[in-house]
Amino acid sequence: MTPSPQKNKPVVALAGATGHLGAYVTEAFLSPLFRPHISSLILLSRQPTSTSPKLQEWTSVHPDLVQVRIYNDTENVTEADLQPLLKDVDVLVNMIGSKRRSYEFKEALLCAFCAASTNSSSSSSSSATKLYFPSEFGVDHTVHDFPQAEWDKKKAHTDLAAQLAASSHGIKMKVCRIFCGLFLEDSIGPWFGFDTKNGIYEVIGSSTDAKVSFTAMRDVGNAVAALVTMMSVEDVPADVHVAGDTLSLRDVAGRMEEAGAGRIEVREVDLGEFKGKVVREGTGNPGVYLRFLMGEGKIDHRSRQEGGLGDENEVVDPNEERWRWKSMKDLAVESQGRPNLE
């Protein structure tokens, strides 16, 4: 059965719905908290439902809400190919990852969304304004003072979205970027200098001065769903900074020690020297840059009054009345102080 649009409720499309983050965003929209507030959930996928256990589960449990539309992100994909998949869609959440030619596909998807909206004869939602979430969901690269290929592509994609929003005929489109800092589940590991196996944390810069923000992927999903369902499109901010926890890396070590990691040796590396070498040599891997961005305090999602980049937790979850955010202490307790040990 194909779900039909319901008046005054948005039709939401998720690109990359079964991916690393996408699965959490999908689960958020299908949760009892947000499910009643959407008309239908369209999952854009490269694979048919028959080959994806997640798609099978979601379509079988919510047959009147979930619809799967298959796309092909080959080199020959065009805006015209994607446009039919976005018919009647009010909100598009783009969670396509970064891989070869992914930005060409993202551009085609964005253009198809605008074209499908322009050609739509009517809107199923209470507002004629469409809402687009580009594939950010990381650090706020607008404050960086260096070039980096991946983040430069994100900037260019946002510029394109703004141009399309300004030039679209007959529709309005709002663009919302969500910056969540570092994924809580993925960040305390050797790739960022945290050797949980041997109890050694290598920190770029001061381990006590700079604050770093971490957000669980479940909470990112809830934040997206809250922005879509709990406020009017016109009230959605252009940039949203959220964080499940913000603390110094010395405090991260302390949380892990308290949860059973044993003593953790924290070693500090000169920030200027490390950053200079990374920027000078250049790399396509953002992870190396993230290490010195932590030390610079540029992944700090506290309020601007506190010296951070901004904090919109209260916008999406006032007084934590909708859900409780996962903290570094929670991660420490569930991993006995040694996350990503293997």
Side-chain angles (χ1 to χ4, degrees), residues 71-91:
Y71 67 84
N72 184 355
D73 64 346
T74 63
E75 296 184 4
N76 298 320
V77 71
T78 67
E79 174 188 330
D81 296 327
L82 296 170
Q83 188 174 327
L85 305 182
L86 298 168
K87 184 179 184 295
D88 295 327
V89 169
D90 300 301
V91 180

Side-chain angles (χ1 to χ4, degrees), residues 210-284:
K211 306 295 183 185
V212 184
S213 292
F214 303 86
T215 311
M217 285 182 278
R218 177 206 64 187
D219 294 329
V220 177
N222 285 339
V224 175
L227 288 166
V228 172
T229 64
M230 298 298 178
M231 63 179 62
S232 67
V233 176
E234 289 75 13
D235 292 333
V236 174
D239 290 334
V240 174
H241 297 80
V242 296
D245 207 351
T246 300
L247 66 173
S248 73
L249 297 180
R250 178 75 67 173
D251 287 338
V252 171
R255 300 287 192 278
M256 298 303 165
E257 288 177 338
E258 293 169 0
R263 181 181 177 275
I264 295 175
E265 178 185 355
V266 180
R267 300 174 180 173
E268 296 182 355
V269 175
D270 183 79
L271 172 60
E273 183 178 341
F274 184 92
K275 177 181 178 179
K277 184 174 186 294
V278 171
V279 173
R280 190 166 54 250
E281 294 179 353
T283 174

Side-chain angles (χ1 to χ4, degrees), residues 91-232:
V91 180
L92 174 60
V93 184
N94 188 342
M95 297 168 291
I96 301 296
S98 300
K99 58 183 179 180
R100 193 174 77 88
R101 293 191 60 82
S102 66
Y103 277 91
E104 289 87 341
F105 177 77
K106 293 175 186 180
E107 180 177 320
L109 187 68
L110 170 58
C111 292
F113 179 48
C114 291
S117 300
T118 302
N119 295 334
S120 178
S121 59
S122 62
S123 173
S124 61
S125 66
S126 58
S127 170
T129 303
K130 305 297 182 179
L131 181 58
Y132 177 63
F133 293 89
S135 56
E136 292 287 350
F137 309 111
V139 300
D140 185 347
H141 49 78
T142 65
V143 300
H144 297 174
D145 58 0
F146 55 87
Q148 200 282 328
E150 175 63 25
W151 290 319
D152 290 346
K153 290 178 181 177
K154 287 179 179 285
K155 290 184 178 76
H157 186 77
T158 300
D159 289 342
L160 174 62
Q163 293 170 14
L164 291 172
S167 62
S168 294
H169 302 290
I171 67 159
K172 296 179 181 179
M173 183 176 74
K174 192 156 192 179
V175 180
C176 175
R177 297 185 294 187
I178 298 180
F179 301 114
C180 57
L182 302 177
F183 288 148
L184 180 66
E185 303 91 333
D186 295 346
S187 296
I188 309 304
W191 42 89
F192 285 153
F194 306 123
D195 185 349
T196 55
K197 182 177 182 180
N198 296 305
I200 300 173
Y201 284 10
E202 185 182 82
V203 176
I204 311 305
S206 171
S207 61
T208 58
D209 294 342
K211 306 295 183 185
V212 184
S213 292
F214 303 86
T215 311
M217 285 182 278
R218 177 206 64 187
D219 294 329
V220 177
N222 285 339
V224 175
L227 288 166
V228 172
T229 64
M230 298 298 178
M231 63 179 62
S232 67

